[in-house]
Amino acid sequence: MQNNIFSALFVGQNLVTIKEVDSTNTYLKTLLSNSKPLPEGTAIMAESQFAGRGQQQNKWHSEPGKNLTFSILLTPSFLPVLQQFDLTRAISLGVIEALNPLLGDRLKIKWPNDIYYDDHKLGGILIETHLQGDRIKDAIIGIGLNINQEHFEEGAGNAISVKQILQKDYDLRALLLEICGHIEGYYLKLKAGKSLFVRNAYLNRLYWLNEARNFRSDGETFTGTIVGVKDEGVLVVEHNNLGTREFSLKQIEFLNK
């Protein structure tokens, strides 16, 4: 294990890099429970993650040394539980903004927090929160991004990497620090009460916004148009036959493969 302290913003200032781990989120949770208090912004970066997880316990496969697999500790006690989706928005936007100079406006956030380039998945985010009353005590943010991997195993679906898009290798540590800085920028906007700004920015980068597309829900395939996301994170879709419908996580499938 190697500890690196660099002079930047507080997100990522305490950076721990490890060769191999089951999951950086699990590793950070263990650190949080077993040691003295960790500074907010502590980040765990793994070269190899052999049991990475996505939303709903989905597996995240990553070729060792090729991609970004890391977790960040935040303590957003200023954020009420009912507004915790704003944290999802801020993290997603931080990732998007950091990668935007490389990949431009074809980079989108697929609701709720997947990172997409055109119709291909570039990465995902898993946020695990611990609550204290009606506030968020702490949040562990796991981020996986395909950077330098050129080939994906069967079953990886519509995965794509930055190298496949741009035909160039990128420095993983430099990208991580860039992402940390942008995440902090949006996080501080939330802390300053600028949640409306964050919500509008998230909506503007949303994949398939205002486009007639195909979806599946409860075994039914239908054409609909994403028209918004409610404050608490529910997806609002204009169903061509049934008017406006609202969907929570795993209630709707994007037929984009």
Side-chain angles (χ1 to χ4, degrees):
M1 189 194 310
Q2 177 185 357
N3 264 328
N4 297 291
I5 307 295
F6 56 90
S7 55
L9 303 172
F10 72 90
V11 175
Q13 270 200 352
N14 181 33
L15 175 62
V16 179
T17 59
I18 49 182
K19 292 288 289 184
E20 184 177 73
V21 70
D22 55 351
S23 156
T24 53
N25 267 30
T26 300
Y27 186 92
L28 188 48
K29 278 191 285 189
T30 302
L31 275 185
L32 197 58
S33 61
N34 292 345
S35 65
K36 61 184 180 181
L38 292 172
E40 183 175 32
T42 291
I44 308 295
M45 177 184 180
E47 288 185 24
S48 175
Q49 182 175 252
F50 56 83
R53 291 175 294 131
Q55 294 287 354
Q56 303 293 306
Q57 304 303 313
N58 292 333
K59 295 293 184 184
W60 179 267
H61 299 282
S62 177
E63 189 177 333
K66 297 283 190 177
N67 303 313
L68 276 177
T69 50
F70 65 103
S71 296
I72 297 169
L73 171 67
L74 294 176
T75 55
S77 56
F78 59 88
L79 202 59
V81 171
L82 292 177
Q83 295 178 26
Q84 61 182 320
F85 195 78
D86 283 337
L87 185 60
T88 294
R89 291 180 172 99
I91 302 302
S92 303
L93 285 165
V95 174
I96 285 278
E97 291 290 332
L99 296 176
N100 195 74
L102 297 179
L103 301 174
D105 291 339
R106 292 163 74 178
L107 203 58
K108 299 289 183 181
I109 303 166
K110 177 176 172 280
W111 177 89
N113 55 9
D114 280 340
I115 307 302
Y116 262 57
Y117 181 84
D118 289 337
D119 288 325
H120 297 277
K121 185 173 179 178
L122 191 70
I125 298 164
L126 175 66
I127 301 176
E128 299 179 89
T129 56
H130 300 100
L131 308 181
Q132 192 167 55
D134 64 348
R135 298 277 161 170
I136 301 172
K137 180 183 179 184
D138 58 62
I140 294 175
I141 293 100
I143 299 172
L145 293 167
N146 302 322
I147 306 298
N148 296 325
Q149 188 164 332
E150 294 183 81
H151 305 286
F152 293 91
E153 64 187 49
E154 192 174 344
N158 57 343
I160 198 170
S161 70
V162 176
K163 182 166 186 178
Q164 286 178 323
I165 298 166
L166 300 177
Q167 300 301 307
K168 180 180 175 183
D169 280 313
Y170 286 87
D171 184 286
L172 297 180
R173 179 182 166 85
L175 279 178
L176 183 145
L177 301 185
E178 192 73 24
I179 291 167
C180 285
H182 284 276
I183 284 175
E184 180 171 277
Y186 278 100
Y187 181 68
L188 291 178
K189 283 181 170 61
L190 281 186
K191 196 169 186 177
K194 298 178 180 178
S195 56
L196 186 59
F197 174 89
V198 173
R199 291 171 187 175
N200 287 336
Y202 175 88
L203 197 62
N204 287 336
R205 296 307 295 257
L206 201 62
Y207 177 67
W208 284 7
L209 180 68
N210 297 324
E211 298 178 18
R213 294 284 188 159
N214 293 325
F215 300 89
R216 183 182 294 120
S217 179
D218 293 329
E220 173 212 359
T221 298
F222 67 94
T223 300
T225 304
I226 296 173
V227 294
V229 178
K230 301 192 78 171
D231 291 354
E232 67 275 19
V234 173
L235 185 70
V236 183
V237 178
E238 185 72 37
H239 190 302
N240 282 10
N241 299 321
L242 301 176
T244 299
R245 297 175 65 185
E246 298 178 1
F247 298 92
S248 297
L249 187 64
K250 290 298 179 183
Q251 289 183 337
I252 187 170
E253 178 186 356
F254 290 57
L255 299 180
N256 58 344
K257 296 179 183 178

